[in-house]
Amino acid sequence: MARSLTELTEHVVTVTGVSPYDVAGQAAAAAGHLGVPLYPDPGAVVVEVSLDLDHHPACTVVDAAQPGPVVAWRLANALVDVGQEILGSEPFPPCPGHQHPMALGQLDAFAYWCCPQDRERVLYPITTP
């Protein structure tokens, strides 16, 4: 996922770390703030993924128990959001020949970048089918 964004843009994207995420602790803290009990999914294997986009650190959490393409799609989606925040009005990743960013597509075990106007046309694979 990071490699695809680096190859598609003029920006350097790297994964700088993956670490366990304390779901129970975060749920307890949120429950305390909200005043209602929260029950995290006991089957989740949540990890925090640290990323770097042109020396701008960011992180996101994903459920690593999900299938690989789902995890890749969710990480890519999170990084697109981070990229838009960091880069402002620059489309990230840019769609070839257009003024908008590419979209994410998924078909079974295959995640890919596509044009939002033609979601069936694969522009760049994130995972292999």
Side-chain angles (χ1 to χ4, degrees):
M1 179 271 314
R3 183 181 64 231
S4 72
L5 286 172
T6 297
E7 291 176 3
L8 290 168
T9 69
E10 296 177 5
H11 303 284
V12 177
V13 181
T14 55
V15 175
T16 57
V18 177
S19 58
Y21 186 75
D22 181 13
V23 176
Q26 293 295 325
H33 290 298
L34 297 172
V36 296
L38 297 175
Y39 305 100
D41 179 359
V45 181
V46 181
V47 296
E48 181 175 55
V49 179
S50 301
L51 305 157
D52 184 272
L53 171 60
D54 290 343
H55 306 291
H56 294 276
C59 65
T60 188
V61 294
V62 293
D63 181 357
Q66 298 293 316
V70 173
V71 172
W73 189 93
R74 289 188 175 154
L75 283 172
N77 193 45
L79 191 53
V80 166
D81 290 344
V82 167
Q84 287 302 153
E85 289 176 21
I86 292 169
L87 302 172
S89 62
E90 178 183 332
F92 182 78
C95 189
H98 299 131
Q99 297 298 316
H100 54 249
M102 280 192 272
L104 289 160
Q106 184 177 352
L107 179 62
D108 298 326
F110 181 48
Y112 56 91
W113 296 107
C114 60
C115 176
Q117 296 171 347
D118 184 6
R119 291 188 176 265
E120 300 298 317
R121 186 169 156 241
V122 175
L123 296 176
Y124 198 92
I126 297 172
T127 61
T128 55

